[in-house]
């Protein structure tokens, strides 16, 4: 992939997209980025720092959405510049694409919006890499149309597809690993979102639940079936995270998990 600052691409390892759910503040973002960079440099894993600059899809009106768009985006740029790391963030509406593209290297299309043609076109027009999350309501083979929309505007675009599970009833998500194989058929890197795929949405409390104890299980299976990348939201203390803490990985558990995943990768080569 032709993404600014993306290192270790010749290692043969999977790549990692990881960071907090949302930018909560400068110090936290820098702390997480530095820790993960140290780990991934040692393990020769290509790494993209992830954080949303704003959360648009919230259950409750008073849920935390961000610290302010320009401030959060500027922090993402500082992370990239300070640690020479590529960065990725979500965009939600077409007019956000050009703004976010000034600060980050990869634009991410949220799962609920993966069919929004104008949003995909706007992302493609920036010239940035685009990561499209598969909707919880879709099968992998249907994501080829998202790739087509982006490539029609920018044939040279780096496009990634990310699975984050499928809705199962009203308040659970399950992972069907056939989706990884189906999306790899489109000749683009395929990523497994190991944390959002363990969400338990639509809780009566208005706060999404999760099953973080299964993150390792989801990640190992994804590598075993051929995922090119792993997506993990992580936080020094998930219990106090301002968004999606219920399904995050504690930051101090990341290194051990990645070491295990490298062994799985080596075993299935």
């Amino acid at each position: 992939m032709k993404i600014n600052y993306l290192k270790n691409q010749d290692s043969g390892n999977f790549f990692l997209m990881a960071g907090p759910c949302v930018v909560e503040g400068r110090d936290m973002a820098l702390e997480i980025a530095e820790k993960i960079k140290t780990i991934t440099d040692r393990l020769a894993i290509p790494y993209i720092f992830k954080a949303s600059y704003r959360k648009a899809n919230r259950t409750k009106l008073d849920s935390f959405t961000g610290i302010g768009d320009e401030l959060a985006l500027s922090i993402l740029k500082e992370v990239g510049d300070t640690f020479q790391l590529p960065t990725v963030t979500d965009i939600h509406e077409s007019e956000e694409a050009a703004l976010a593209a000034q600060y980050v290297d990869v634009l991410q299309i949220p799962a609920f919006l993966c069919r929004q043609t104008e949003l995909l076109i706007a992302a493609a027009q920036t010239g940035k890499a685009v990561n499209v999350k598969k909707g919880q309501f879709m099968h992998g083979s249907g994501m080829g149309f998202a790739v087509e929309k982006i490539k029609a505007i920018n044939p040279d675009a780096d496009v990634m597809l990310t699975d984050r599970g499928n809705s199962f009833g009203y308040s659970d998500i399950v992972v069907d690993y056939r989706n990884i194989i189906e999306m790899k058929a489109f000749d683009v890197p395929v990523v497994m979102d190991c944390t959002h795929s363990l969400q338990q949405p639509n809780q009566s409390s208005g706060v999404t639940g999760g099953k973080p104890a299964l993150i390792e299980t989801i990640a190992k299976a994804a590598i075993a079936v051929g995922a090119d990348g792993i997506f993990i939201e992580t936080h020094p203390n998930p219990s106090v995270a301002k968004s999606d803490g219920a399904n995050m990985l504690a930051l101090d558990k990341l290194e051990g998990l990645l070491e295990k995943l490298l062994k799985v990768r080596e075993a299935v080569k």
Side-chain angles (χ1 to χ4, degrees):
M1 293 184 288
K2 305 180 294 294
I3 299 175
N4 190 36
Y5 292 149
L6 188 59
K7 302 172 183 176
N8 297 312
Q9 292 193 75
D10 59 352
S11 67
N13 292 330
F14 57 86
F15 65 92
L16 175 68
M17 305 175 77
C21 179
V22 63
V23 177
E24 297 179 10
R26 175 181 180 273
D27 291 347
M28 182 208 69
L30 291 168
E31 173 192 352
I32 294 174
E34 183 174 24
K35 175 69 173 177
I36 301 178
K37 182 180 187 298
T38 300
I39 295 169
T40 53
D41 280 352
R42 181 180 73 81
L43 298 176
I45 294 173
Y47 172 47
I48 302 171
F49 177 82
K50 183 272 165 184
S52 298
Y53 74 93
R54 171 160 49 91
K55 300 302 293 184
N57 175 30
R58 302 289 85 190
T59 301
K60 297 169 66 177
L61 182 62
D62 61 354
S63 295
F64 178 80
T65 58
I67 59 175
D69 292 358
E70 300 242 4
L71 175 58
L73 286 166
S74 69
I75 290 171
L76 284 169
K77 187 175 189 308
E78 183 178 0
V79 166
D81 292 343
T82 300
F83 299 110
Q84 303 257 292
L85 286 173
T87 54
V88 57
T89 199
D90 301 287
I91 57 172
H92 315 90
E93 298 184 40
S94 302
E95 58 267 24
E96 295 178 34
L99 172 64
Q102 298 176 51
Y103 297 89
V104 301
D105 305 287
V106 183
L107 300 177
Q108 183 165 278
I109 309 300
F112 282 131
L113 303 176
C114 67
R115 289 169 54 97
Q116 297 297 101
T117 300
E118 290 186 2
L119 182 60
L120 292 167
I121 289 174
Q125 288 173 333
T126 68
K128 297 288 184 175
V130 183
N131 180 35
V132 187
K133 287 198 169 183
K134 182 187 72 62
Q136 301 94 313
F137 47 86
M138 292 187 63
H139 52 82
S141 60
M143 291 300 292
F145 299 111
V147 176
E148 286 180 7
K149 291 174 184 179
I150 295 168
K151 292 285 191 177
I153 301 302
N154 179 7
D156 297 322
D158 276 317
V159 183
M160 295 169 270
L161 295 176
T162 295
D163 188 18
R164 49 98 73 234
N166 285 85
S167 295
F168 185 72
Y170 294 111
S171 57
D172 205 358
I173 289 174
V174 297
V175 176
D176 180 349
Y177 290 95
R178 293 176 297 180
N179 286 318
I180 292 177
I181 305 304
E182 289 177 354
M183 292 193 293
K184 283 176 71 71
F186 303 123
D187 198 27
V188 298
V190 174
V191 182
M192 184 72 232
D193 182 339
C194 303
T195 45
H196 289 101
S197 60
L198 291 167
Q199 283 183 332
Q200 293 179 301
N202 303 320
Q203 300 297 307
S204 59
S205 65
V207 178
T208 297
K211 298 179 180 179
L214 292 174
I215 291 171
E216 181 175 322
T217 301
I218 297 293
K220 284 179 176 178
I223 293 298
V225 300
D228 303 292
I230 294 293
F231 179 109
I232 293 176
E233 288 191 339
T234 183
H235 192 283
N237 186 358
S239 66
V240 300
K242 295 183 181 297
S243 178
D244 283 359
N247 53 266
M248 276 192 190
L249 181 72
L251 184 58
D252 61 6
K253 295 182 179 180
L254 180 63
E255 186 168 14
L257 173 58
L258 293 175
E259 289 174 341
K260 291 177 182 178
L261 296 182
L262 288 175
K263 290 178 182 179
V264 175
R265 176 80 165 191
E266 185 62 30
V268 299
K269 275 185 178 178

